[in-house]
């Protein structure tokens, strides 16, 4: 086979590779999604807590704080076990304190805390969360 | 000799067709509610969802069986690694198609499976971000990419299984009817799994084919338990055409199957 024939044969078989780069760029692009905030229009007394889908809000003597419910191992949603005073992962059984510190693995990182602001009227909270679609 | 192959193709045919039917009532931005609605409000919704589920399960079991029964054919692919590689590729593609389908219902276990898959892919060095963006990325884009990947994988499997593998669609009218009747009866008797409430269970167990990985993830770092370990039998399958590696690959695959079965039984019963 001559070089010319080889090149023609390769071109005939590999022309579709030209689409790979545009396809890679198109599929790989992602949209900017801004962080969002959750408003809780309910004041909590000291010692009370509120379980939301993405976080748990605690009211202490020193103020309110919100702990993420996303396990730092592989992202499962943590359950709050009130009696035991811990967060537990239903997927791989990691455990965390109410402050988000790891007690038992396989998770290695502590849970993140979200910024909490008390509403100016004093009858609720604003929690600042990372972007989320669902 | 090729009977299981034709049954597998017929099951894939019904899985794709019932998937198209289900898609008419599925909302990707409201996945859980629309799936529950399908089960409870839409006439025959539960039946078609179950038909999709069971035909996909049949397809998956069929492709595993077909791979097993054709292991001895690996030798004739010596020197044709691209062709053999694409055929072997249908196995992980089938796993991913089933897994993405499991995530799409977005109940507590589906949601957990989506986040686990995302974190596993992100644990892959260098390519992790890209792999996640092409297949899962539930944190960034919800189920948009999972849905696209689910459809793309199904079409890819059809293309590889028919046009590429056999150059034609090999299943008879009788095969199609047998598979459809079998799946229909199963759909009426056993519905496709869905947790009816969004209450969070204390223990989440993933899809049956993922249980072994779930158990290993408790003890081994995610990259090794969720990426390397499941890739081992695929790698062995790829190397089967190499004569001097064949016995070693078969031994590793047998040992892997034993280990995976033990891990699955452990999480299932403990």
């Amino acid at each position: 086979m001559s070089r010319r024939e080889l090149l023609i044969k390769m071109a005939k078989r590999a022309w579709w590779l030209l689409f790979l780069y545009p396809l890679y760029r198109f599929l790989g692009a992602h949209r900017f999604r801004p962080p969002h905030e959750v408003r809780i229009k309910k004041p909590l007394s000291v010692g009370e807590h509120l379980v939301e889908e993405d976080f748990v809000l605690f009211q202490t003597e020193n103020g309110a704080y919100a702990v993420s419910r996303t396990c730092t191992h592989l992202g499962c949603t943590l359950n709050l076990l009130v009696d035991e005073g811990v967060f537990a992962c239903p997927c791989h059984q990691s455990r965390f304190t109410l402050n988000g510190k790891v007690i038992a693995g396989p998770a290695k990182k502590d849970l993140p805390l979200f910024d909490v602001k008390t509403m100016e009227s004093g009858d609720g909270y604003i929690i600042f969360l990372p972007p989320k679609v669902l | 000799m090729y009977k299981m192959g034709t049954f597998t193709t017929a099951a894939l045919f019904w899985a794709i067709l019932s998937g198209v039917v289900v898609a008419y009532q599925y909302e990707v931005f409201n996945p859980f509610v629309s799936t529950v609605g399908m089960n409870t409000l839409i006439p025959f919704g539960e039946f078609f969802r179950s038909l999709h589920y069971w035909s996909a399960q049949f397809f998956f079991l069929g492709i595993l069986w077909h791979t097993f029964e054709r292991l001895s054919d690996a030798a004739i692919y010596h020197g044709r690694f691209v062709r053999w590689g694409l055929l072997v590729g249908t196995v992980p593609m089938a796993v991913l198609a089933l897994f993405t389908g499991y995530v799409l219902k977005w109940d507590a276990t589906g949601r957990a499976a989506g986040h686990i898959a995302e974190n596993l892919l992100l644990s892959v060095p260098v390519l992790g971000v890209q792999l996640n963006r092409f297949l899962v990325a539930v944190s960034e884009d919800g189920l948009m990419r999972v849905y696209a990947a689910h459809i793309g994988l199904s079409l890819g499997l059809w293309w590889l299984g028919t046009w590429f593998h056999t150059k034609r669609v090999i299943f008879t009218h009788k095969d199609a009817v047998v598979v459809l009747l079998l799946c229909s009866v199963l759909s009426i008797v056993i519905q496709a799994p869905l947790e009816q409430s969004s209450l969070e269970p204390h223990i989440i167990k993933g899809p049956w084919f993922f249980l072994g990985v779930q158990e290993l993830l408790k003890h081994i770092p995610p990259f090794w338990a969720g990426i390397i370990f499941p890739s081992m039998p695929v790698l062995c399958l790829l190397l089967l055409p190499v004569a001097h590696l064949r016995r070693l690959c078969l031994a590793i695959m047998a040992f892997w199957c034993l280990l995976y079965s033990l891990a699955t039984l452990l999480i299932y019963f403990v």
Side-chain angles (χ1 to χ4, degrees):
Chain A
M1 186 185 290
S2 70
R3 186 189 298 173
R4 182 187 170 84
E5 283 170 336
L6 180 71
L7 284 172
I8 289 171
K9 190 178 176 184
M10 279 172 64
K12 276 183 180 172
R13 290 198 172 188
W15 62 269
W16 55 269
L17 289 173
L18 290 172
F19 286 87
L20 279 188
Y21 182 69
L23 198 62
Y24 170 78
R25 291 299 305 272
F26 179 82
L27 298 181
H30 71 110
R31 300 162 198 211
F32 172 74
R33 298 186 195 278
H36 72 291
E37 52 185 50
V38 173
R39 288 170 179 265
I40 309 275
K41 290 182 180 170
K42 179 190 171 192
L44 299 177
S45 309
V46 172
E48 275 190 327
H49 68 270
L50 184 73
V51 180
E52 287 287 309
E53 197 180 332
D54 298 317
F55 61 88
V56 179
L57 180 65
F58 293 96
Q59 178 67 56
T60 66
E61 288 175 353
N62 300 323
Y65 70 95
V67 186
S68 167
R69 288 184 65 197
T70 304
C71 183
T72 52
H73 176 224
L74 289 171
C76 293
T77 302
L78 299 165
N79 293 320
L80 173 63
L81 306 184
V82 180
D83 296 343
E84 299 178 42
V86 293
F87 287 104
C89 175
C91 298
H92 307 106
Q93 285 78 54
S94 293
R95 288 186 161 229
F96 303 85
T97 66
L98 298 185
N99 292 319
K101 304 282 180 212
V102 178
I103 304 170
K108 296 209 174 356
K109 289 184 194 164
D110 295 338
L111 299 174
L113 302 180
F114 298 130
D115 289 337
V116 180
K117 192 174 141 190
T118 307
M119 284 182 185
E120 285 176 8
S121 56
D123 58 356
Y125 309 88
I126 305 170
I127 295 94
F128 299 92
L129 301 172
K132 190 183 176 191
V133 184
L134 280 176
Chain B
M1 186 191 238
Y2 296 101
K3 202 63 193 164
M4 189 48 78
T6 63
F7 267 115
T8 306
T9 314
L12 179 60
F13 173 75
W14 290 120
I16 291 174
L17 208 63
S18 56
V20 172
V21 173
V22 168
Y24 273 80
Q25 297 289 357
Y26 178 75
E27 296 170 33
V28 75
F29 284 107
N30 202 7
F32 180 64
V33 172
S34 67
T35 310
V36 171
M38 215 183 302
N39 265 19
T40 52
L41 300 172
I42 310 289
F44 297 102
E46 193 169 38
F47 171 75
F48 281 114
R49 211 176 75 77
S50 301
L51 188 64
H52 185 50
Y53 173 81
W54 282 112
S55 48
Q57 300 291 318
F58 264 86
F59 164 68
F60 181 58
L61 291 173
I63 204 168
L64 288 183
W65 183 263
H66 186 56
T67 307
F68 177 72
E69 73 175 356
R70 310 307 300 168
L71 278 181
S72 56
D73 282 359
I76 62 174
Y77 285 93
H78 184 70
R80 297 158 72 197
F81 284 109
V82 174
R83 186 164 187 86
W84 176 251
L86 281 169
L87 289 180
V88 169
T90 56
V91 178
M93 277 173 74
V95 174
L96 284 174
L98 232 65
F99 192 86
T100 46
Y102 189 85
V103 173
L104 283 172
K105 60 194 170 83
W106 208 240
D107 55 0
T109 50
R111 207 162 50 227
H115 287 293
I116 290 171
E118 177 165 44
N119 283 287
L120 285 180
L121 289 176
L122 287 173
S123 73
V124 177
V126 187
L127 289 174
V129 174
Q130 276 77 15
L131 282 173
N132 177 49
R133 203 162 280 164
F134 288 134
L135 291 168
V136 188
V138 286
S139 299
E140 283 180 8
D141 289 327
L143 290 178
M144 274 167 49
R145 286 165 188 270
V146 179
Y147 199 31
H150 185 65
I151 296 167
L153 285 162
S154 308
L155 294 178
L157 283 165
W158 182 256
W159 173 71
L160 280 171
T162 57
W163 186 84
F164 179 79
H165 185 29
T166 54
K167 305 292 182 205
R168 61 202 158 115
V169 180
I170 304 179
F171 68 86
T172 61
H173 178 74
K174 193 178 153 193
D175 292 332
V177 171
V178 168
V179 172
L180 179 63
L181 285 179
L182 208 58
C183 292
S184 298
V185 170
L186 270 170
S187 303
I188 293 165
V189 179
I190 309 169
Q191 282 76 40
L194 178 71
E195 287 145 21
Q196 290 296 330
S197 73
S198 54
L199 291 173
E200 287 117 8
H202 282 297
I203 300 281
I204 285 180
K205 288 181 181 174
W208 61 271
F209 53 87
F210 194 72
L211 289 177
V213 171
Q214 189 177 349
E215 178 61 28
L216 291 173
L217 282 167
K218 291 182 193 170
H219 314 288
I220 308 173
F223 177 62
W224 293 96
I227 304 289
I228 297 295
F229 183 73
S231 304
M232 280 172 64
V234 180
L235 187 68
C236 288
L237 274 174
L238 281 173
L239 293 174
L240 270 189
V242 184
H244 66 277
L245 291 176
R246 196 165 302 139
R247 287 173 73 95
L248 176 68
C249 287
L250 287 172
I252 292 174
M253 281 162 68
F255 182 67
W256 186 94
C257 287
L258 182 71
L259 204 62
Y260 199 78
S261 307
L262 285 174
T264 302
L265 289 174
L266 199 65
I267 195 168
Y268 192 78
F269 288 110
V270 177

